[in-house]
């Protein structure tokens, strides 16, 4: 009977909605945009009725608690760990039958959006997609969200892209190809890396840029700290630091304590929610640290990983499980993230969320503003701002810069420097296959490249077609390529 019922509604869809749209707590993740989903797709379960209010259903455990968290009663064994990541995921029919088994029904969009009665009811479904009883069609979904989320200037620019299709294809395809030669070794680190030498002491400081492979690097550093005598500090305290002062956090004090030791051995994961390494005060502190370590015959190794900008922007969009109609607006408000991660301080808005990387400030929004003489790109590559004041450019601050499509070579350098000749790394934070974007049209790819031009320039500075640095950035002429052979499985 169930199979017959599913056949009868083949092609029908229902809305999947944020489990708690009114929740603005920063610790539960960003709110999820509604999507019109086929009945065979999967989402979390929150049930409603007029007398009991709302309840959440999942295969729970000790870390999944709430005011009304229920264990499943039906034979449908939807599994913990499927999307949504925390509450287990079910098809529409599994969700409907589970609610009916508890004498309840699926909630409506109105019940979820106009009331907070479902919030904190358990299963960690706040800010995760859950099934609703409301019907929808994909066409009405796309039209609604295109009208609601894509501004007129975006739609106009996408239409303009059609006039430049051939020119665009010739420009963007080279950017989207993987860089064949990557210039990522600074002069002061070349001798150690090329001789497979081992750091006797010092600090390896890893600057994490989102969706470049940074979580994989961090996981490996944490693993290496357990295998060696090197300590690991996760420099990411944006939730527990109410004043938002990065140099007053618990992790910062731990870093200072460890580097005060004689010949320290420290691995630091610098998360992208902490001010970037080009922040003047942090840059000055790092340079003072370099001198402090050199006086003890130790070394500071500042490192990061970059990624081809269009691929990175689309990967971030996929990872945050957005929907296609809002892609253009999302890319516009998340433009040039790699450069901004290096440069911007994170600020807090009135709701306590971090902002700064994703800003609507015209001075920081759009590649054109960032690429102005003396702007953020000039400061990063040349160390010169609009007032002519000079600070260290990237080429003087960093020691190793990896690239995502050759991440194994970057990891190999870190492993060997720590005295581990071979090591293995499992990819972290992979975008689930069910969330992979369908093939995008030329206009959307053009839009992604248009609003990541500063990141393209940054990426091309390290991508060498003839010799390291090429003609793109004279400050990188003395840099060398990463070793071609990887020792990371």
């Amino acid at each position: 009977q169930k199979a017959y019922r599913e056949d009868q509604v083949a092609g029908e869809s229902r809305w999947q909605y944020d489990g708690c749209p009114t929740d603005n707590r920063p610790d539960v993740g960003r709110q999820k945009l509604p999507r019109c989903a086929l009945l065979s797709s999967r989402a979390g379960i929150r049930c409603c009725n007029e007398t009991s209010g709302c309840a959440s259903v999942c295969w729970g455990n000790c870390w999944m608690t709430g005011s009304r968290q229920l264990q499943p009663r039906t034979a449908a064994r939807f599994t913990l760990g499927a999307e949504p990541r925390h509450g287990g995921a079910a098809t529409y029919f599994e969700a409907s039958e589970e609610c009916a088994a508890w004498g309840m029904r699926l909630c409506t969009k109105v019940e979820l959006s106009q009331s907070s009665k479902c919030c904190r009811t358990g299963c960690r479904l706040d800010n995760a997609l859950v099934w609703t009883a409301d019907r929808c069609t994909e066409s009405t979904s796309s039209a609604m969200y295109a009208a609601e989320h894509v501004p007129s200037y975006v739609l106009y620019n996408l239409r303009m892209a059609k006039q430049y299709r051939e020119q665009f294809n010739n420009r963007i395809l080279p950017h989207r190809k993987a860089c064949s030669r990557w210039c990522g070794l600074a002069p002061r680190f070349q001798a150690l890396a090329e001789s497979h030498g081992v750091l006797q002491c010092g600090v390896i400081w890893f600057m994490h840029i989102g969706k470049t492979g940074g979580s994989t690097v961090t996981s490996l550093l944490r693993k290496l700290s357990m295998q060696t005598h090197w300590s690991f500090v996760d420099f990411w305290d944006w939730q527990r630091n109410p004043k938002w002062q990065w140099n007053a956090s618990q992790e910062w004090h731990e870093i200072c304590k460890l580097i005060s030791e004689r010949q320290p051995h420290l691995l630091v994961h610098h998360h992208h929610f902490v001010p970037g390494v080009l922040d003047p005060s942090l840059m000055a502190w790092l340079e003072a640290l370099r001198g402090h370590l050199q006086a003890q015959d130790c070394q500071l190794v500042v490192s990061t990983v970059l990624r081809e900008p269009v691929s990175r922007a689309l990967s971030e969009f996929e990872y945050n499980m957005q929907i296609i109609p809002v892609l253009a607006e999302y890319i516009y408000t998340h433009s040039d993230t790699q450069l901004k991660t290096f440069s911007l301080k994170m600020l807090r808005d009135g709701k306590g969320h971090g902002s700064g990387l994703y800003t609507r400030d015209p001075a920081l929004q759009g590649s054109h503003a960032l690429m102005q003489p003396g702007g953020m790109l000039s400061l990063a590559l040349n160390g010169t701002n609009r007032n002519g004041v000079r600070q260290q450019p990237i080429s003087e601050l960093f020691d190793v810069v990896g690239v995502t499509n050759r991440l194994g070579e970057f990891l190999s350098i870190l492993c060997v420097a720590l005295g581990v000749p071979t090591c293995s790394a499992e990819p972290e934070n992979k975008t689930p296959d069910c969330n992979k974007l369908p093939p995008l049209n030329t206009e959307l790819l053009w839009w992604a490249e248009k609003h990541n031009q500063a990141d393209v320039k940054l990426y091309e500075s390290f991508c060498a077609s003839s010799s390291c640095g090429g003609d793109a950035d004279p400050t990188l002429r003395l840099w060398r390529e990463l070793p071609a052979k990887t020792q990371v499985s």
Side-chain angles (χ1 to χ4, degrees):
Q1 290 179 343
K2 179 180 177 182
Y4 172 77
R5 187 168 69 247
E6 292 190 6
D7 287 340
Q8 289 296 99
V9 294
E12 279 196 23
S13 301
R14 296 291 191 278
W15 282 109
Q16 293 176 354
Y17 218 70
D18 191 298
C20 179
T22 61
D23 194 346
N24 291 317
R25 289 177 297 155
D27 59 310
V28 295
R30 293 192 187 132
Q31 294 179 353
K32 300 297 184 294
L33 292 172
R35 68 182 176 195
C36 183
L38 293 175
L39 305 184
S40 58
S41 61
R42 295 185 174 272
I45 306 175
R46 282 195 162 163
C47 308
C48 291
N49 64 19
E50 286 68 25
T51 58
S52 303
C54 182
S56 299
V57 182
C58 62
W59 300 104
N61 54 36
C62 59
W63 53 266
M64 296 169 62
T65 59
S67 58
R68 290 211 66 198
Q69 179 170 300
L70 307 176
Q71 289 285 337
R73 280 183 170 177
T74 69
R77 297 291 298 189
F78 44 90
T79 59
L80 180 68
E83 291 294 339
R85 296 171 191 166
H86 297 304
T91 67
Y92 172 79
F93 291 107
E94 290 171 342
S96 297
E97 291 180 355
E98 192 56 51
C99 289
W102 285 96
M104 305 178 79
R105 55 170 172 75
L106 289 175
C107 304
T108 65
K109 287 198 303 178
V110 172
E111 288 173 314
L112 289 170
S113 62
Q114 296 184 359
S115 170
S116 60
K117 66 180 181 180
C118 286
C119 297
R120 307 191 188 190
T121 54
C123 297
R124 299 195 67 153
L125 288 173
D126 292 359
N127 297 99
L129 289 174
V130 301
W131 282 110
T132 74
D134 297 272
R135 287 184 170 85
C136 62
T137 64
E138 193 62 42
S139 59
T140 58
S141 169
S142 299
M144 178 186 300
Y145 286 97
E148 181 178 350
H149 292 282
V150 182
S152 58
Y153 68 87
V154 172
L155 297 175
Y156 170 76
N157 277 281
L158 293 180
R159 287 194 295 270
M160 289 292 291
K162 297 179 181 179
Q163 303 178 25
Y164 304 101
R165 184 183 299 270
E166 182 177 353
Q167 177 186 359
F168 168 70
N169 281 335
N170 292 335
R171 287 193 305 111
I172 193 170
L173 289 180
H175 297 327
R176 302 198 71 224
K177 291 180 180 178
C179 182
S180 59
R181 299 183 64 191
W182 188 258
C183 177
L185 282 183
R188 61 174 165 246
F189 193 65
Q190 288 167 9
L192 184 72
E194 293 173 352
S195 65
H196 301 287
V198 177
L199 284 174
Q200 299 304 310
C201 56
V203 176
I204 293 183
W205 192 285
F206 173 65
M207 174 77 226
H208 182 172
I209 299 174
K211 303 314 298 175
T212 62
S215 295
T216 302
V217 178
T218 303
S219 178
L220 179 64
L221 290 177
R222 187 180 283 109
K223 178 180 177 181
L224 291 173
S225 73
M226 292 184 251
Q227 298 175 358
T228 65
H229 56 285
W230 290 73
S231 302
F232 175 83
V233 174
D234 197 353
F235 186 24
W236 178 19
D237 195 22
W238 64 283
Q239 294 181 32
R240 292 179 291 158
N241 184 8
K243 295 184 179 180
W244 202 250
Q245 296 174 340
W246 55 271
N247 56 355
S249 67
Q250 177 181 340
E251 285 77 7
W252 178 258
H253 290 305
E254 181 68 14
I255 290 172
C256 292
K257 175 184 175 182
L258 290 170
I259 63 174
S260 66
E261 298 176 357
R262 175 66 182 168
Q263 294 188 325
H265 298 79
L266 176 61
L267 310 175
V268 177
H269 166 227
H270 180 151
H271 195 271
H272 46 83
F273 278 152
V274 180
V277 291
L278 295 183
D279 175 82
S281 57
L282 180 55
M283 178 181 287
W285 184 87
L286 284 172
E287 279 311 296
L289 173 61
R290 191 183 297 278
H292 171 73
L293 293 173
Q294 287 175 345
Q296 304 179 61
D297 294 322
C298 301
Q299 194 163 349
L300 171 65
V301 180
V302 183
S303 61
T304 192
V305 176
L306 299 178
R307 184 174 180 179
E308 190 282 311
V310 174
S311 299
R312 198 219 64 83
L314 297 179
S315 178
E316 180 182 329
F317 180 85
E318 293 171 345
Y319 181 72
N320 288 309
M321 294 182 288
Q322 302 294 331
I323 56 177
I324 291 295
V326 303
L327 174 58
E329 172 69 358
Y330 186 93
I331 287 175
Y332 178 77
T333 56
H334 295 67
S335 65
D336 295 305
T337 298
Q338 296 181 96
L339 177 61
K340 290 177 182 176
T341 301
F342 284 149
S343 307
L344 287 184
K345 291 184 177 181
M346 292 295 291
L347 309 173
R348 280 199 165 186
D349 59 22
K351 298 178 180 179
H353 291 134
S355 61
L357 293 182
Y358 314 127
T359 177
R360 294 175 184 271
D361 182 349
L364 299 174
Q365 190 56 263
S367 297
H368 179 72
L370 302 179
M371 295 170 63
Q372 290 292 311
M376 191 179 290
L377 181 65
S378 175
L379 184 64
L381 294 181
N382 305 316
T384 306
N385 65 15
R386 290 184 176 89
N387 299 321
V389 177
R390 192 178 187 280
Q391 66 179 45
Q392 277 193 314
I394 286 175
S395 59
E396 295 180 13
L397 177 65
F398 281 92
D399 298 270
V400 189
V401 178
V403 62
T404 301
N405 65 290
R406 294 170 60 183
L407 190 62
E409 296 163 14
F410 175 82
L411 296 176
S412 176
I413 291 174
L414 299 185
C415 289
V416 172
L418 294 174
V420 182
T422 59
C423 53
S424 60
E426 291 293 329
E428 300 280 341
N429 284 352
K430 294 185 294 185
T431 304
D433 289 338
C434 59
N435 294 321
K436 294 295 185 182
L437 290 174
L440 299 178
N441 59 34
T442 302
E443 288 73 37
L444 286 173
L445 291 175
W446 171 82
W447 182 259
E449 194 244 8
K450 171 184 171 67
H451 288 288
N452 285 279
Q453 276 296 296
D455 271 1
V456 168
K457 294 295 184 184
L458 178 66
Y459 176 83
E460 288 180 341
S461 297
F462 291 89
C463 182
S465 58
S466 55
S467 61
C468 272
D471 296 326
D473 184 4
T475 64
L476 292 168
R477 290 264 173 87
L478 297 178
W479 283 51
R480 295 184 188 172
E481 292 184 54
L482 295 180
K485 185 178 180 181
T486 176
Q487 300 181 31
V488 178
S489 59

